């Protein structure tokens, strides 16, 4: 029996009981029933990887199966690619869908024609085989479709997967790194279901949380220091992640890898496309203890993605403006060789400052009248238009200014950047590390600095866009060429 069959039977057994136990006066929709088992995507290693994207179905709810997409036979999502910095890898991506797709390696520093953006289209039945050297530091990255105007839909169906980069510096630290045991991938998203159990793709905010594709997920974690690699794979919603008991955890990594030192936090906000690595100390917990990871999304205001009060319609959700459960942790016995202390020092790196900058530019996000259509500086994405040209090796400061009503999750390909300023004057404590995606709240701006080294092309552009996939598909994307140094 597969894990998913097991959790399905489990869900059936407990479906009756959970209807009464989940509802409380204060939180009718947000309290999960915890009848699912967190699925751990299989990890694949080596230097040649094969990925095949196909239609699938998944038993998510009683009744009809839900139509999904999955890689390599998965009924939602795909395997985790575990790669080593320095390795030359090739990934053979076969498109078994009846429509075109692309597969983008989010966060990796690779040539534009290997990047899997909107230009590297894989037609049905075809295999695309990009190859590149892994240059990123150890960290948590991901792959997902990037076909213009189809990204939201294909990702919503479940086409995606994680990429874990490992390197010598990370390996030298006393960190939890046994995948699926004390090093746990956690991909957060949500869906609304139609009456016949299909994903409602008109909803930008789901009503039901999916953790690694599982509803009401529980995870058995050992009584020791445990690492969570969390990805927000939503359409729009941000998550203010913390534990129900308010415990402090340690942020050890951001989009581009490990921080210089752990940053303590009781909650961290993750916008769409961002990743975070945290250490949670379970070493003092008795076996059998239950902890709940939650999203503290209540009271954030309408500009917070998922903070609006409406519960129905395109921007409404049963999870809006409330605290809701993400994962229930059941503490089990510690493993042999358990990590029981959080390292004081991680991987210090020299970050860019404004003093390094050789060129600066500003992108202003414009909102159209109905509040649903966004552009960078009035230009909707066009495949044949180059919006920015960067000189190879330039160290640039980019300022992204959001419009008055909506925040955006700004993402740029090719580089990892350092956030140097927010218009509010305050950077979040966990944002000091390498980033490729940053939330720009409504009415505010963010400035980051990056160097555009190594890869240049007079013809193949990289993308920048809002990672809220409905905004991206709606045209809030641009492309830049890195012009070869003379
Ligand atoms: Cu996660 Cu342009 O993508
Ligand atoms: Cu946006």
């Amino acid at each position: 029996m597969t894990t998913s069959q097991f959790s399905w039977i489990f869900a059936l057994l407990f479906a009756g009981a959970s209807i009464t136990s989940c509802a409380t006066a204060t939180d009718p929709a947000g309290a999960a029933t915890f009848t699912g088992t967190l699925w751990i995507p299989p990890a694949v290693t080596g230097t040649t990887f094969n990925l095949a994207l196909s239609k699938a179905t998944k038993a998510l709810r009683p009744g009809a199966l839900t139509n999904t997409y999955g890689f390599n036979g998965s009924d939602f999502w795909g395997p985790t690619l575990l790669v080593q910095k320095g390795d030359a890898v090739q990934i053979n991506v076969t498109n078994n869908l009846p429509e075109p797709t692309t597969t983008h390696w989010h966060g990796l520093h690779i040539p534009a024609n290997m990047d899997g953006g909107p230009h590297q289209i894989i037609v049905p039945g075809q295999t695309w085989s990009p190859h590149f050297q892994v240059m990123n530091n150890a960290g948590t990255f991901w792959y997902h479709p990037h076909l213009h105007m189809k990204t939201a839909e294909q990702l919503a169906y479940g086409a995606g997967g994680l990429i874990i980069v490992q390197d010598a510096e990370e390996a030298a630290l006393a960190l939890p790194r046994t995948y699926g045991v004390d090093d746990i991938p956690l991909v957060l998203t949500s869906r609304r279901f139609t009456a016949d159990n299909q994903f409602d793709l008109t909803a930008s905010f789901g009503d039901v949380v999916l953790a690694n594709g599982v509803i009401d997920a529980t995870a058995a974690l050992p009584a020791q220091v445990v690492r969570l690699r969390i990805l927000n794979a939503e359409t729009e919603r941000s998550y203010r992640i913390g534990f129900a008991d308010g415990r402090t955890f340690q942020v050890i990594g951001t989009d581009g890898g490990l921080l210089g030192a752990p940053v303590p936090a009781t909650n961290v906000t993750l916008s769409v496309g961002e990743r975070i690595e945290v250490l949670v100390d379970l070493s003092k917990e008795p076996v059998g203890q239950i902890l709940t990871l939650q999203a503290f999304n209540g009271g954030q205001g309408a500009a917070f993605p998922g903070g609006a009060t409406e519960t129905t319609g395109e921007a409404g959700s049963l999870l809006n403006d409330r605290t809701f459960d993400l994962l229930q942790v059941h503490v089990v016995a510690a493993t042999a060789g358990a990590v029981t202390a959080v390292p004081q020092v991680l991987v210090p790196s020299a970050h860019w400052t404004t003093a390094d900058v050789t060129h600066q530019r500003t992108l202003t996000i414009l909102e159209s009248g109905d509040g649903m259509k966004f552009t960078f500086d009035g230009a909707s994405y066009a495949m044949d238009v180059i919006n920015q040209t960067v000189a190879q090796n330039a160290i640039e400061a980019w300022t992204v200014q959001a419009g008055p009503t909506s925040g955006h999750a700004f993402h740029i390909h090719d580089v990892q950047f350092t956030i140097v300023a927010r218009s509010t004057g305050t950077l979040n404590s966990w944002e000091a590390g390498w980033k490729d995606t940053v939330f720009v709240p409504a009415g505010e701006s963010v400035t980051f600095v990056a160097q555009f080294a190594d890869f240049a092309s007079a013809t193949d552009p990289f993308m920048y866009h809002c990672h809220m996939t409905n905004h991206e598909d709606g045209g809030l994307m641009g492309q830049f060429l890195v012009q070869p140094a003379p």
Side-chain angles (χ1 to χ4, degrees):
M1 186 181 288
T2 66
T3 309
S4 67
Q5 285 169 323
F6 179 78
S7 38
W8 174 232
I9 286 166
F10 214 63
L12 281 176
L13 285 173
F14 284 85
S18 63
I19 287 164
T20 48
S21 64
C22 74
T24 70
T26 53
D27 199 2
T33 55
F34 300 120
T35 49
T37 301
L38 185 73
W39 176 67
I40 303 295
V44 290
T45 60
T47 54
T48 303
F49 298 89
N50 298 305
L51 291 175
L53 179 61
S54 307
K55 284 186 155 188
T57 56
K58 181 160 183 155
L60 281 164
R61 315 208 321 161
L65 298 173
T66 302
N67 293 317
T68 58
Y69 292 172
F71 283 97
N72 296 9
S74 162
D75 57 11
F76 187 91
W77 207 244
T80 298
L81 310 183
L82 197 57
V83 301
Q84 305 300 317
K85 182 178 181 180
D87 276 1
V89 301
Q90 176 168 321
I91 311 175
N92 305 309
V93 187
T94 301
N95 178 12
N96 292 327
L97 299 178
E99 62 182 22
T101 192
T102 80
T103 303
H104 166 57
W105 321 104
H106 179 128
L108 295 190
H109 180 50
I110 54 179
N113 63 349
M114 304 293 168
D115 194 41
H119 295 271
Q120 284 91 44
I121 294 171
I122 319 171
V123 300
Q126 197 186 50
T127 299
W128 175 60
S129 298
H131 51 88
F132 49 82
Q133 188 180 22
V134 179
M135 295 177 72
N136 290 72
N137 293 331
T140 307
F141 305 88
W142 61 306
Y143 57 94
H144 62 77
H146 214 308
L147 187 68
H148 184 44
M149 299 195 294
K150 286 294 238 178
T151 297
E153 177 183 317
Q154 293 185 346
L155 183 57
Y157 275 121
L162 291 174
I163 302 169
I164 294 177
V165 176
Q166 297 183 323
D167 66 12
E169 284 174 300
E170 188 261 354
L173 295 167
L175 289 172
R177 57 203 305 274
T178 307
Y179 180 79
V181 176
D182 62 4
D183 184 350
I184 308 294
L186 184 60
V187 178
L188 299 174
T189 187
S190 64
R191 295 290 179 272
R192 176 171 298 165
F193 289 89
T194 62
D196 61 350
N197 277 357
Q198 302 311 309
F199 292 144
D200 181 350
L201 300 176
T202 69
S204 301
F205 296 87
D207 293 327
V208 178
V209 172
L210 295 178
N212 297 355
V214 173
I215 295 173
D216 293 349
T218 64
L221 299 182
Q224 62 204 56
V225 175
V226 169
R227 179 183 197 165
L228 301 177
R229 300 175 185 262
I230 310 175
L231 161 68
N232 181 342
E234 273 285 2
T235 302
E236 274 204 53
R237 174 180 282 112
S238 290
Y239 289 87
R240 288 183 73 232
I241 299 168
F243 285 87
D245 63 4
R247 71 180 48 217
T248 297
F249 53 88
Q250 306 291 329
V251 180
I252 60 164
T254 52
D255 303 336
L258 294 170
L259 295 169
V263 174
T266 53
N267 69 72
V268 170
T269 301
L270 215 55
S271 72
V272 178
E274 289 184 296
R275 290 86 65 206
I276 204 160
E277 294 187 24
V278 305
L279 296 184
V280 187
D281 186 359
L282 302 179
S283 65
K284 312 286 188 302
E285 303 299 332
V287 169
Q289 180 78 336
I290 291 177
L291 307 172
T292 308
L293 191 69
Q294 294 185 311
F296 295 94
N297 281 13
Q300 299 305 298
F304 180 87
T309 50
E310 60 258 52
T311 53
T312 59
E314 188 274 330
S317 161
L318 298 178
L319 302 176
N320 272 0
D321 190 28
R322 60 167 60 242
T323 296
F324 57 90
D325 297 338
L326 299 173
L327 176 71
Q328 194 175 78
V329 173
H330 293 233
V331 178
V332 297
T335 62
V339 173
T340 56
V342 173
Q344 297 297 297
V345 177
L346 297 167
V347 180
S349 49
H351 278 276
W352 302 118
T353 70
T354 46
D356 301 311
V357 170
T358 59
H359 187 87
Q360 41 191 332
R361 60 188 83 218
T362 298
L363 305 178
T364 303
I365 297 174
L366 301 181
E367 304 175 345
S368 78
D370 65 359
M372 282 301 299
K373 174 81 181 162
F374 306 99
T375 62
F376 289 110
D377 299 300
S380 222
Y381 177 72
M383 296 236 343
D384 55 355
V385 173
I386 300 298
N387 304 93
Q388 315 284 338
T389 302
V390 176
Q392 187 180 10
N393 297 323
I395 301 169
E396 297 210 351
W398 288 38
T399 297
V400 182
Q401 171 73 52
T405 59
S406 182
H408 300 275
F410 183 87
H411 170 54
I412 185 168
H413 292 208
D414 181 25
V415 296
Q416 292 290 328
F417 55 74
T418 305
I419 301 172
V420 296
R422 284 184 176 276
S423 54
T424 53
T426 328
L427 303 191
N428 296 310
S429 59
W430 62 88
E431 289 185 327
W434 294 110
K435 297 282 293 167
D436 57 50
T437 307
V438 60
F439 186 63
V440 188
E444 297 183 16
S445 69
V446 173
T447 302
F448 62 79
V449 177
Q451 183 173 32
F452 296 78
D454 303 310
F455 306 115
S457 165
T459 52
D460 296 305
F462 289 106
M463 303 298 125
Y464 58 88
H465 56 93
C466 176
H467 218 292
M468 293 171 173
T469 48
N470 52 344
H471 295 181
E472 170 187 343
D473 282 347
L476 188 50
M477 178 155 68
Q479 49 194 7
F480 65 99
L481 282 179
V482 179
Q483 284 289 0

